[in-house]
Amino acid sequence: CNCGYGSNGINCNSNGECSCKQGFTGLKCDECSDGFYGKDCSLSCNCGIGNIQNGKCSSTTGECFCSINYKQPKCDECSDGYFGSNCSSICNCGVGDIRNNSCNSTGQCFCKPNFDDSKCSKCKDSFYLSNSSCIGKYILFHFSFRYLDLFIFS
């Protein structure tokens, strides 16, 4: 039979299938079952919602196989540039973004100081955009006073 490392013994059934230990699969029990990895197939993959192979991961590294817009290694976070249900919404961060077009779960981008909107594209009041940063405006006030002569008649 040539049963593998993950078999419960050296004997197999009439179909040539070996009886596998938990975490092993295959005719010879020489592959990790879905959801397990490592030398002895005892480590759990723990893949997230974005896994595309029913909880299966790399049998050697444990890295999950993610669907589009999900981040490895566990497929439990959106890739940079995406957010929302099924990671299907695009962040669309502006020039003031500091995390490579990455946003939180509600679409709020991570902005440099003094940006005023959730997409890092607009400066706060009293600031202007210069080289992808918001710079404070310097306002000079010039007051001129006019002296009035006040005459009192009695």
Side-chain angles (χ1 to χ4, degrees):
C1 285
N2 294 326
C3 292
Y5 172 77
S7 70
N8 285 318
I10 57 171
N11 298 326
C12 57
N13 65 20
S14 60
N15 294 331
E17 294 176 310
C18 300
S19 173
C20 300
K21 295 177 187 175
Q22 182 179 355
F24 288 90
T25 191
L27 287 175
K28 306 292 181 189
C29 302
D30 54 358
E31 301 171 26
C32 291
S33 298
D34 287 355
F36 294 92
Y37 75 100
K39 180 183 173 203
D40 58 0
C41 297
S42 64
L43 302 172
S44 178
C45 293
N46 294 323
C47 296
I49 191 173
N51 180 266
I52 59 172
Q53 293 192 355
N54 298 324
K56 189 169 182 161
C57 62
S58 166
S59 62
T60 54
T61 66
E63 190 169 272
C64 301
F65 303 106
C66 301
S67 61
I68 193 166
N69 303 340
Y70 280 90
K71 188 186 296 187
Q72 290 185 331
K74 296 294 180 188
C75 309
D76 56 354
E77 296 178 15
C78 295
S79 296
D80 288 348
Y82 296 91
F83 74 100
S85 177
N86 298 320
C87 296
S88 58
S89 299
I90 300 172
C91 293
N92 286 326
C93 298
V95 296
D97 174 54
I98 59 171
R99 289 200 186 168
N100 198 24
N101 197 34
S102 180
C103 58
N104 69 15
S105 61
T106 65
Q108 170 79 43
C109 298
F110 301 97
C111 302
K112 294 176 185 176
N114 300 316
F115 276 86
D116 197 27
D117 64 338
S118 66
K119 299 298 179 185
C120 309
S121 59
K122 179 183 168 194
C123 294
K124 291 180 180 178
D125 288 342
S126 300
F127 291 85
Y128 67 96
L129 187 62
S130 175
N131 295 326
S132 75
S133 293
C134 289
I135 308 297
K137 292 180 183 177
Y138 296 98
I139 301 172
L140 298 176
F141 291 97
H142 177 74
F143 292 101
S144 65
F145 294 97
R146 184 170 175 208
Y147 295 100
L148 298 173
D149 290 328
L150 183 60
F151 296 99
I152 299 175
F153 295 100
S154 24

Coordinates of all heavy atoms in Angstrom, one line a residue, residues 17-99:
E17 N -6.9 2.6 -0.5 CA -6.9 3.8 0.4 C -6.4 3.5 1.8 O -6.8 2.5 2.4 CB -8.3 4.4 0.4 CG -8.9 4.9 -0.9 CD -10.3 5.3 -0.8 OE1 -11.2 4.6 -0.3 OE2 -10.6 6.5 -1.2
C18 N -5.6 4.4 2.3 CA -5.1 4.3 3.6 C -6.0 5.0 4.6 O -6.8 5.9 4.2 CB -3.7 4.9 3.7 SG -2.5 4.1 2.6
S19 N -6.0 4.6 5.8 CA -6.8 5.3 6.9 C -6.0 6.4 7.4 O -4.9 6.2 8.0 CB -7.2 4.3 8.0 OG -7.8 5.0 9.1
C20 N -6.5 7.7 7.3 CA -5.6 8.9 7.6 C -5.9 9.4 9.0 O -7.0 9.3 9.6 CB -6.0 10.0 6.7 SG -5.6 9.6 4.9
K21 N -4.8 9.9 9.6 CA -4.9 10.6 10.9 C -5.6 12.0 10.7 O -5.7 12.4 9.5 CB -3.6 10.9 11.5 CG -2.7 9.7 11.9 CD -1.4 10.1 12.3 CE -0.4 9.0 12.6 NZ 0.9 9.4 12.9
Q22 N -6.1 12.6 11.7 CA -6.7 13.9 11.6 C -5.7 14.9 11.0 O -4.6 14.9 11.4 CB -7.2 14.4 12.9 CG -7.9 15.8 12.8 CD -8.5 16.3 14.1 OE1 -8.4 15.7 15.1 NE2 -9.0 17.5 14.1
G23 N -6.2 15.7 10.0 CA -5.4 16.7 9.4 C -4.7 16.2 8.1 O -4.2 17.0 7.3
F24 N -4.8 14.9 7.8 CA -4.2 14.3 6.6 C -5.3 13.8 5.6 O -6.4 13.5 6.1 CB -3.3 13.1 6.9 CG -2.0 13.6 7.6 CD1 -1.9 13.7 8.9 CD2 -0.9 13.8 6.8 CE1 -0.7 14.1 9.5 CE2 0.3 14.2 7.4 CZ 0.4 14.3 8.7
T25 N -5.0 13.8 4.3 CA -5.9 13.3 3.3 C -5.1 12.7 2.2 O -3.9 12.7 2.2 CB -6.9 14.4 2.8 OG1 -7.9 13.9 2.1 CG2 -6.1 15.4 2.0
G26 N -5.9 12.2 1.2 CA -5.2 11.6 0.0 C -5.2 10.1 0.1 O -5.4 9.5 1.2
L27 N -5.1 9.4 -1.0 CA -5.0 7.9 -1.0 C -4.0 7.4 0.0 O -4.2 6.3 0.6 CB -4.8 7.4 -2.4 CG -6.0 7.5 -3.4 CD1 -5.5 7.1 -4.8 CD2 -7.1 6.7 -2.9
K28 N -2.8 8.0 0.0 CA -1.7 7.6 0.8 C -1.6 8.3 2.1 O -0.6 8.2 2.8 CB -0.4 7.7 0.0 CG -0.4 7.0 -1.3 CD -0.5 5.5 -1.2 CE -0.5 4.8 -2.5 NZ -0.8 3.4 -2.4
C29 N -2.5 9.3 2.4 CA -2.4 10.1 3.6 C -1.1 10.9 3.6 O -0.5 11.1 4.6 CB -2.5 9.3 4.9 SG -4.0 8.3 5.0
D30 N -0.8 11.5 2.4 CA 0.5 12.2 2.3 C 0.2 13.7 2.0 O 1.1 14.4 1.6 CB 1.4 11.6 1.3 CG 0.7 11.4 -0.1 OD1 -0.5 11.7 -0.2 OD2 1.4 10.9 -1.0
E31 N -1.0 14.2 2.2 CA -1.4 15.6 1.9 C -2.1 16.1 3.2 O -2.8 15.3 3.9 CB -2.3 15.7 0.7 CG -1.8 15.2 -0.6 CD -2.8 15.2 -1.7 OE1 -3.8 15.9 -1.6 OE2 -2.7 14.3 -2.6
C32 N -2.1 17.4 3.4 CA -2.9 18.0 4.5 C -4.3 18.1 4.0 O -4.6 18.5 2.9 CB -2.3 19.4 4.8 SG -0.7 19.3 5.6
S33 N -5.2 17.9 5.0 CA -6.7 18.1 4.7 C -6.9 19.6 4.6 O -6.1 20.4 5.1 CB -7.5 17.5 5.9 OG -7.3 16.2 6.0
D34 N -8.0 19.9 4.0 CA -8.4 21.3 3.9 C -8.5 21.9 5.3 O -9.0 21.3 6.2 CB -9.8 21.5 3.2 CG -9.8 21.2 1.7 OD1 -8.7 21.0 1.2 OD2 -10.9 21.2 1.1
G35 N -7.9 23.1 5.4 CA -7.9 23.8 6.7 C -6.7 23.5 7.6 O -6.6 24.0 8.7
F36 N -5.7 22.6 7.1 CA -4.6 22.3 7.9 C -3.3 22.5 7.1 O -3.3 22.4 5.9 CB -4.7 20.8 8.4 CG -5.8 20.6 9.4 CD1 -7.0 20.2 9.0 CD2 -5.6 20.8 10.7 CE1 -8.0 20.0 9.9 CE2 -6.6 20.6 11.7 CZ -7.8 20.2 11.2
Y37 N -2.2 22.7 7.8 CA -0.9 22.8 7.1 C 0.2 22.4 8.1 O 0.0 22.2 9.3 CB -0.7 24.2 6.6 CG -0.3 25.3 7.6 CD1 1.0 25.7 7.8 CD2 -1.3 25.9 8.4 CE1 1.3 26.7 8.7 CE2 -1.0 26.8 9.3 CZ 0.3 27.2 9.5 OH 0.6 28.2 10.4
G38 N 1.5 22.4 7.6 CA 2.6 22.1 8.4 C 3.1 20.7 8.2 O 2.5 19.9 7.5
K39 N 4.3 20.4 8.7 CA 4.9 19.1 8.5 C 4.0 17.9 8.9 O 3.9 16.9 8.2 CB 6.2 19.0 9.3 CG 7.0 17.7 9.1 CD 8.2 17.6 10.0 CE 8.8 16.2 9.9 NZ 9.6 15.9 11.0
D40 N 3.4 18.1 10.1 CA 2.5 17.0 10.5 C 1.0 17.4 10.3 O 0.1 16.7 10.9 CB 2.8 16.7 12.0 CG 2.6 17.8 12.9 OD1 2.3 18.9 12.4 OD2 2.8 17.7 14.1
C41 N 0.7 18.4 9.5 CA -0.6 18.8 9.2 C -1.5 19.1 10.4 O -2.7 18.8 10.4 CB -1.3 17.8 8.3 SG -0.5 17.5 6.7
S42 N -0.9 19.6 11.5 CA -1.6 19.8 12.7 C -1.9 21.3 13.0 O -2.6 21.6 13.9 CB -0.8 19.3 13.9 OG 0.4 20.0 14.0
L43 N -1.4 22.1 12.1 CA -1.6 23.6 12.3 C -2.9 24.0 11.5 O -3.0 23.6 10.3 CB -0.4 24.4 11.9 CG 0.9 24.1 12.6 CD1 2.0 24.8 11.9 CD2 0.8 24.4 14.0
S44 N -3.7 24.8 12.1 CA -5.0 25.2 11.5 C -4.7 26.4 10.6 O -4.0 27.4 11.0 CB -6.0 25.5 12.5 OG -7.2 26.0 12.0
C45 N -5.3 26.5 9.4 CA -5.1 27.6 8.5 C -5.7 28.9 9.0 O -5.2 30.0 8.9 CB -5.7 27.3 7.1 SG -4.9 26.0 6.3
N46 N -6.9 28.8 9.6 CA -7.6 30.0 10.1 C -7.8 31.1 9.1 O -7.6 32.2 9.3 CB -6.9 30.6 11.4 CG -7.0 29.7 12.5 OD1 -8.0 29.0 12.7 ND2 -5.9 29.6 13.3
C47 N -8.2 30.7 7.9 CA -8.5 31.6 6.8 C -9.7 32.4 7.0 O -10.7 31.9 7.6 CB -8.5 30.9 5.5 SG -7.0 30.1 5.0
G48 N -9.7 33.7 6.6 CA -10.9 34.5 6.8 C -11.9 34.4 5.7 O -11.8 33.5 4.8
I49 N -12.9 35.3 5.7 CA -14.0 35.3 4.7 C -13.6 35.4 3.3 O -14.3 34.9 2.4 CB -15.0 36.4 5.1 CG1 -16.3 36.2 4.3 CG2 -14.4 37.8 4.8 CD1 -17.4 37.2 4.8
G50 N -12.4 35.9 3.0 CA -12.0 36.1 1.6 C -11.2 35.0 1.0 O -10.7 35.0 -0.1
N51 N -11.2 33.8 1.7 CA -10.5 32.6 1.2 C -11.3 32.0 0.1 O -12.5 31.9 0.2 CB -10.3 31.6 2.4 CG -9.6 30.4 1.9 OD1 -10.2 29.4 1.6 ND2 -8.3 30.4 1.9
I52 N -10.7 31.6 -1.0 CA -11.4 31.1 -2.1 C -11.3 29.6 -2.3 O -11.9 29.0 -3.2 CB -10.9 31.7 -3.5 CG1 -9.4 31.4 -3.7 CG2 -11.2 33.2 -3.5 CD1 -8.8 31.8 -5.0
Q53 N -10.7 28.9 -1.4 CA -10.6 27.5 -1.5 C -11.1 26.7 -0.2 O -10.4 25.8 0.3 CB -9.1 27.1 -1.8 CG -8.7 27.5 -3.2 CD -7.4 26.9 -3.6 OE1 -6.8 26.2 -2.9 NE2 -7.0 27.2 -4.9
N54 N -12.3 27.1 0.2 CA -12.9 26.4 1.3 C -12.0 26.2 2.6 O -12.0 25.1 3.1 CB -13.5 25.1 0.9 CG -14.6 25.3 -0.2 OD1 -15.3 26.3 -0.1 ND2 -14.6 24.4 -1.2
G55 N -11.3 27.2 2.9 CA -10.5 27.1 4.1 C -9.1 26.5 3.9 O -8.3 26.4 4.8
K56 N -8.8 26.1 2.7 CA -7.5 25.5 2.4 C -6.4 26.6 2.3 O -6.7 27.7 1.8 CB -7.6 24.7 1.1 CG -6.3 23.9 0.9 CD -6.5 22.8 -0.2 CE -5.2 22.0 -0.3 NZ -5.4 20.8 -1.0
C57 N -5.2 26.2 2.7 CA -4.1 27.1 2.6 C -2.9 26.4 2.1 O -2.9 25.2 1.9 CB -3.8 27.8 4.0 SG -3.4 26.6 5.3
S58 N -1.8 27.1 1.9 CA -0.6 26.4 1.5 C -0.2 25.4 2.6 O -0.1 25.7 3.8 CB 0.6 27.5 1.4 OG 1.8 26.9 1.3
S59 N 0.1 24.2 2.2 CA 0.4 23.1 3.1 C 1.7 23.3 3.9 O 2.0 22.7 4.9 CB 0.4 21.8 2.4 OG 1.4 21.7 1.4
T60 N 2.6 24.2 3.3 CA 3.9 24.4 4.0 C 3.9 25.7 4.8 O 4.5 25.8 5.9 CB 5.0 24.5 2.9 OG1 4.7 25.4 1.9 CG2 5.2 23.1 2.3
T61 N 3.3 26.8 4.2 CA 3.4 28.1 4.9 C 2.2 28.5 5.7 O 2.2 29.4 6.5 CB 3.7 29.3 3.9 OG1 2.5 29.4 3.0 CG2 4.9 29.0 3.0
G62 N 1.0 27.9 5.4 CA -0.2 28.3 6.0 C -0.9 29.5 5.4 O -1.9 30.0 5.9
E63 N -0.2 30.1 4.4 CA -0.8 31.3 3.7 C -2.1 30.9 3.0 O -2.1 29.9 2.2 CB 0.2 31.9 2.8 CG -0.2 33.3 2.3 CD 0.9 33.9 1.5 OE1 1.7 34.7 2.2 OE2 1.0 33.8 0.3
C64 N -3.1 31.7 3.2 CA -4.4 31.4 2.6 C -4.5 31.8 1.1 O -3.7 32.7 0.7 CB -5.5 32.1 3.4 SG -5.6 31.5 5.1
F65 N -5.3 31.2 0.4 CA -5.5 31.6 -1.0 C -6.7 32.6 -1.0 O -7.9 32.2 -0.9 CB -5.8 30.4 -1.9 CG -4.7 29.4 -1.8 CD1 -4.9 28.2 -1.1 CD2 -3.5 29.6 -2.4 CE1 -3.9 27.2 -1.0 CE2 -2.5 28.6 -2.3 CZ -2.7 27.5 -1.6
C66 N -6.4 33.9 -1.3 CA -7.4 34.9 -1.2 C -8.1 35.2 -2.5 O -7.5 35.2 -3.6 CB -6.8 36.2 -0.7 SG -6.0 36.1 0.9
S67 N -9.4 35.6 -2.4 CA -10.1 36.1 -3.6 C -9.6 37.5 -3.8 O -9.0 38.1 -3.0 CB -11.6 36.0 -3.4 OG -12.0 36.8 -2.3
I68 N -10.0 38.1 -5.0 CA -9.6 39.4 -5.4 C -10.0 40.4 -4.3 O -11.0 40.3 -3.7 CB -10.1 39.8 -6.8 CG1 -9.4 41.0 -7.3 CG2 -11.6 39.9 -6.7 CD1 -9.6 41.2 -8.8
N69 N -9.1 41.4 -4.0 CA -9.3 42.5 -3.1 C -9.2 42.1 -1.6 O -9.5 42.9 -0.8 CB -10.7 43.2 -3.3 CG -10.9 43.7 -4.7 OD1 -9.9 43.9 -5.4 ND2 -12.1 43.9 -5.1
Y70 N -8.7 40.9 -1.3 CA -8.5 40.5 0.0 C -7.0 40.3 0.2 O -6.2 40.0 -0.7 CB -9.1 39.2 0.4 CG -10.6 39.3 0.7 CD1 -11.6 39.2 -0.2 CD2 -11.0 39.6 2.1 CE1 -12.9 39.4 0.1 CE2 -12.3 39.7 2.4 CZ -13.3 39.6 1.4 OH -14.6 39.8 1.7
K71 N -6.5 40.6 1.5 CA -5.1 40.7 1.8 C -4.6 39.4 2.4 O -5.3 38.8 3.3 CB -4.8 41.8 2.7 CG -3.4 42.1 3.0 CD -3.2 43.2 4.1 CE -3.8 44.5 3.7 NZ -3.5 45.6 4.6
Q72 N -3.5 38.9 2.0 CA -2.8 37.7 2.6 C -2.1 38.2 3.9 O -1.8 39.4 4.0 CB -1.9 37.1 1.6 CG -2.6 36.4 0.5 CD -1.7 35.6 -0.4 OE1 -0.5 36.0 -0.6 NE2 -2.2 34.6 -1.0
P73 N -1.8 37.3 4.8 CA -1.8 35.9 4.7 C -3.1 35.2 5.0 O -3.3 34.0 4.7 CB -0.7 35.4 5.7 CG -0.8 36.4 6.8 CD -1.2 37.7 6.1
K74 N -4.1 35.9 5.7 CA -5.3 35.2 6.2 C -6.6 35.5 5.5 O -7.6 34.9 5.8 CB -5.5 35.5 7.7 CG -4.3 35.0 8.6 CD -4.3 33.5 8.6 CE -3.2 32.9 9.5 NZ -3.0 31.5 9.3
C75 N -6.5 36.4 4.5 CA -7.7 36.8 3.7 C -8.8 37.3 4.6 O -10.0 37.1 4.4 CB -8.3 35.6 2.9 SG -7.1 34.7 1.9
D76 N -8.4 38.0 5.7 CA -9.4 38.5 6.7 C -9.5 40.0 6.7 O -10.2 40.6 7.4 CB -9.2 38.0 8.1 CG -7.8 38.3 8.6 OD1 -7.0 38.8 7.8 OD2 -7.5 38.0 9.8
E77 N -8.7 40.7 5.8 CA -8.7 42.1 5.6 C -8.7 42.5 4.2 O -8.3 41.7 3.3 CB -7.4 42.7 6.2 CG -7.3 42.5 7.7 CD -6.0 43.1 8.2 OE1 -5.3 43.9 7.5 OE2 -5.6 42.8 9.4
C78 N -9.3 43.6 3.9 CA -9.3 44.1 2.5 C -7.8 44.5 2.0 O -7.1 45.0 2.8 CB -10.2 45.3 2.3 SG -11.9 45.0 2.6
S79 N -7.5 44.3 0.8 CA -6.3 44.8 0.2 C -6.3 46.3 0.2 O -7.3 46.9 0.2 CB -6.1 44.3 -1.2 OG -6.1 42.9 -1.3
D80 N -5.1 46.8 0.1 CA -4.9 48.3 0.1 C -5.8 48.8 -1.1 O -5.7 48.2 -2.2 CB -3.5 48.7 -0.1 CG -2.7 48.5 1.1 OD1 -3.2 48.3 2.2 OD2 -1.4 48.6 1.0
G81 N -6.5 49.9 -0.9 CA -7.3 50.5 -1.9 C -8.8 50.0 -1.9 O -9.6 50.5 -2.7
Y82 N -9.2 49.1 -1.0 CA -10.5 48.5 -1.0 C -11.1 48.5 0.4 O -10.3 48.4 1.4 CB -10.6 47.1 -1.6 CG -10.2 47.1 -3.0 CD1 -8.8 46.9 -3.4 CD2 -11.1 47.3 -4.0 CE1 -8.5 46.9 -4.7 CE2 -10.8 47.3 -5.3 CZ -9.4 47.1 -5.7 OH -9.1 47.1 -7.0
F83 N -12.4 48.5 0.6 CA -13.1 48.4 1.8 C -14.5 48.0 1.6 O -15.0 47.8 0.5 CB -13.1 49.8 2.6 CG -14.0 50.8 2.0 CD1 -15.3 51.1 2.6 CD2 -13.7 51.5 0.8 CE1 -16.2 52.0 2.0 CE2 -14.6 52.5 0.3 CZ -15.8 52.7 0.9
G84 N -15.2 47.7 2.7 CA -16.6 47.4 2.7 C -17.0 45.9 2.6 O -16.1 45.1 2.6
S85 N -18.2 45.7 2.4 CA -18.7 44.3 2.3 C -18.0 43.6 1.1 O -18.0 44.1 0.0 CB -20.2 44.3 2.1 OG -20.7 43.0 1.9
N86 N -17.4 42.5 1.3 CA -16.7 41.7 0.3 C -15.5 42.5 -0.3 O -15.1 42.2 -1.4 CB -17.6 41.2 -0.8 CG -18.7 40.3 -0.3 OD1 -18.4 39.4 0.6 ND2 -19.9 40.4 -0.7
C87 N -15.1 43.5 0.4 CA -14.0 44.4 -0.1 C -14.2 44.8 -1.5 O -13.3 44.9 -2.3 CB -12.7 43.6 0.0 SG -12.2 43.1 1.7
S88 N -15.4 45.2 -1.8 CA -15.7 45.5 -3.2 C -15.8 47.1 -3.5 O -15.9 47.5 -4.6 CB -17.1 44.9 -3.6 OG -18.1 45.4 -2.7
S89 N -15.7 47.9 -2.4 CA -15.7 49.3 -2.7 C -14.2 49.8 -2.7 O -13.3 49.4 -2.0 CB -16.4 50.0 -1.5 OG -17.7 49.6 -1.4
I90 N -14.0 50.8 -3.6 CA -12.7 51.4 -3.8 C -12.5 52.6 -2.9 O -13.4 53.5 -2.8 CB -12.5 51.8 -5.3 CG1 -12.7 50.5 -6.2 CG2 -11.2 52.4 -5.5 CD1 -12.7 50.8 -7.7
C91 N -11.3 52.7 -2.3 CA -11.0 53.8 -1.4 C -11.0 55.2 -2.1 O -11.5 56.2 -1.6 CB -9.7 53.6 -0.7 SG -9.7 52.2 0.5
N92 N -10.4 55.3 -3.2 CA -10.2 56.6 -4.0 C -9.7 57.7 -3.1 O -10.2 58.8 -3.0 CB -11.6 57.0 -4.6 CG -11.9 56.2 -5.8 OD1 -11.1 55.7 -6.5 ND2 -13.2 56.0 -5.9
C93 N -8.6 57.4 -2.4 CA -7.9 58.5 -1.6 C -7.2 59.5 -2.5 O -6.7 59.2 -3.5 CB -6.9 57.8 -0.6 SG -7.7 56.7 0.5
G94 N -7.2 60.7 -2.0 CA -6.6 61.8 -2.7 C -5.1 62.0 -2.4 O -4.5 61.2 -1.8
V95 N -4.6 63.2 -2.8 CA -3.2 63.5 -2.7 C -2.7 63.5 -1.3 O -1.5 63.4 -1.1 CB -2.8 64.8 -3.4 CG1 -3.1 64.7 -4.9 CG2 -3.5 66.0 -2.8
G96 N -3.5 63.7 -0.3 CA -3.1 63.8 1.1 C -3.0 62.5 1.8 O -2.8 62.4 3.0
D97 N -3.2 61.4 1.1 CA -3.2 60.1 1.7 C -1.8 59.7 2.1 O -0.8 60.0 1.4 CB -3.8 59.1 0.7 CG -3.7 57.6 1.1 OD1 -4.1 57.3 2.2 OD2 -3.1 56.8 0.4
I98 N -1.7 59.0 3.3 CA -0.3 58.6 3.7 C -0.1 57.1 3.7 O 0.9 56.6 4.1 CB 0.0 59.1 5.1 CG1 -1.1 58.6 6.1 CG2 0.1 60.6 5.1 CD1 -0.7 59.0 7.6
R99 N -1.2 56.3 3.3 CA -1.0 54.9 3.3 C -1.3 54.2 2.0 O -2.0 53.2 1.9 CB -2.0 54.3 4.4 CG -1.6 54.6 5.8 CD -2.3 53.6 6.7 NE -2.0 53.9 8.1 CZ -2.7 53.4 9.1 NH1 -3.6 52.5 8.9 NH2 -2.4 53.7 10.3

